[in-house]
């Protein structure tokens, strides 16, 4: 059987290659059940969108599975200053040095401001943060982010929350070819087959939120995504057959009865 290696980000080994978010769930009970079903080790939290003061039994933070690492997220930040400030707040809250960095450039598409993203990443890396940047599928931008010291590259598959799947697989492959750090597809996944495709391409992981939280049954979809990521990874390790234009008999012709 094909042997795998663990996903390691800046020295941290993850058991699962599926990373999940916490937004858009109908309630905290459903969120917790879905997070558990996903099998993920890492959960993203948009600090600008949660009540940081609430710590009671039924609060947001109390409903996060205790085994999961919280990855503070700068979702909703449109400037370098806001993104950097949010990461510093995460550190003050004791959430650890690893952050998901977003610097949004357009409110309609939620595409990243790549210039601001690179600048914010440079500042945060210098301050000791482990930066995981949400970026577009531009191989040049991915290279620049790696050069400033990002611990992973997280290119979008499609616009955030769109569920369109991987719209530009060629660019993702170019990023995979050049990157020396993990590549994690982030945003645009709609269903389990999208996650499997990302993993079959050789991506190191998939990060998603809406595809699970917005499903008719979030818990079932979380389980489906877990299985899809595992299956896609195993298929990549196994190696698919080449595509051919014509039929190729699966049974050998040698020794066939005349």
């Amino acid at each position: 059987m094909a042997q795998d290696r663990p996903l390691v980000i800046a020295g941290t080994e993850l058991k699962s290659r599926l990373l999940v978010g916490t937004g858009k769930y109908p309630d905290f009970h459903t969120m917790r059940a879905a997070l558990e079903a996903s099998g993920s080790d890492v959960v993203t939290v948009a600090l600008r969108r949660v009540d940081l003061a609430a710590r009671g039994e039924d609060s947001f933070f109390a409903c996060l599975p205790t085994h999961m690492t919280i990855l503070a997220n700068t979702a909703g930040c449109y400037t370098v200053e806001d993104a950097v400030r949010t990461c510093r707040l995460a550190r003050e809250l004791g959430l650890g040095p690893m952050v998901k960095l977003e610097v949004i450039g357009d409110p309609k598409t939620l595409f990243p401001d790549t210039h601001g993203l690179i600048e914010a990443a440079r500042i945060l890396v210098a301050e000791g943060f482990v930066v995981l940047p949400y970026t577009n599928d531009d191989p040049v931008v991915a290279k620049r982010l790696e050069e400033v010291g990002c611990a992973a590259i997280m290119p979008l598959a499609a616009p955030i929350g769109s569920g369109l799947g991987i719209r530009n697989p060629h660019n993702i492959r170019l990023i995979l070819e050049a990157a020396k750090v993990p590549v994690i597809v982030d945003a645009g996944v709609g269903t389990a087959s999208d996650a499997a495709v990302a993993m079959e391409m050789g991506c190191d992981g998939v990060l998603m939120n809406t595809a699970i939280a917005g499903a008719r049954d979030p818990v079932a979809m979380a389980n489906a995504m877990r299985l899809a990521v595992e299956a896609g990874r195993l298929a990549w390790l196994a190696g698919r057959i080449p595509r051919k234009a014509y039929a190729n008999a699966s049974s050998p012709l040698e020794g066939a009865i005349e």
Side-chain angles (χ1 to χ4, degrees), residues 12-98:
T12 299
E13 182 175 316
L14 304 180
K15 296 177 182 178
S16 173
R17 292 177 180 272
L18 174 61
L19 292 75
V20 292
T22 53
K24 302 182 179 179
Y25 283 97
D27 53 68
F28 290 161
H29 172 76
T30 302
M31 177 190 74
R32 182 182 181 91
L35 297 182
E36 293 279 10
S38 74
S40 177
D41 305 305
V42 177
V43 60
T44 68
V45 174
L47 294 187
R48 294 166 64 93
R49 296 172 179 165
V50 298
D51 183 355
L52 301 178
R55 296 285 177 166
E57 183 178 344
D58 295 323
S59 68
F60 171 81
F61 284 102
C63 289
L64 297 180
T66 56
H67 73 276
M68 300 186 81
T69 297
I70 297 176
L71 181 65
N73 181 0
T74 65
C77 292
Y78 285 80
T79 67
V80 172
E81 294 74 19
D82 279 351
V84 170
R85 187 183 305 113
T86 300
C87 290
R88 290 170 178 165
L89 173 61
R91 183 165 56 192
E92 291 174 7
L93 292 171
L95 297 181
M98 189 180 294

Side-chain angles (χ1 to χ4, degrees), residues 91-257:
R91 183 165 56 192
E92 291 174 7
L93 292 171
L95 297 181
M98 189 180 294
V99 293
K100 178 188 174 185
L101 177 62
E102 294 185 22
V103 181
I104 301 301
D106 177 63
K108 184 176 182 180
T109 63
L110 298 181
F111 284 158
D113 173 352
T114 55
H115 176 78
L117 182 67
I118 293 170
E119 179 59 26
R122 182 180 289 110
I123 294 169
L124 292 168
V125 168
E127 294 185 7
F129 286 93
V130 176
V131 179
L132 281 60
Y134 157 72
T135 183
N136 59 10
D137 56 11
D138 185 337
V140 175
V141 174
K143 181 179 179 181
R144 296 290 177 264
L145 289 166
E146 185 172 344
E147 288 173 347
V148 302
C150 290
I153 304 298
M154 301 205 299
L156 56 82
I160 292 174
S162 68
L164 291 172
I166 300 176
R167 307 311 299 167
N168 199 342
H170 178 66
N171 276 23
I172 300 294
R173 289 190 180 95
L174 291 176
I175 293 172
L176 286 165
E177 183 180 308
K180 296 180 176 60
V181 296
V183 175
I184 300 171
V185 163
D186 178 15
V189 169
T191 190
S193 57
D194 297 331
V197 167
M199 299 306 296
E200 288 171 2
M201 290 171 59
C203 292
D204 296 282
V206 182
L207 193 158
M208 66 182 72
N209 183 175
T210 307
I212 295 175
R216 185 171 62 251
D217 185 337
V219 179
M221 184 60 80
N223 190 41
M225 291 298 189
R226 175 181 62 82
L227 295 171
V229 167
E230 292 174 358
R233 179 67 180 182
L234 186 57
W236 180 76
L237 290 168
R240 65 158 293 138
I241 63 171
R243 291 180 172 87
K244 297 180 180 180
Y246 300 99
N248 184 18
S250 57
S251 299
L253 297 178
E254 291 80 5
I257 299 174

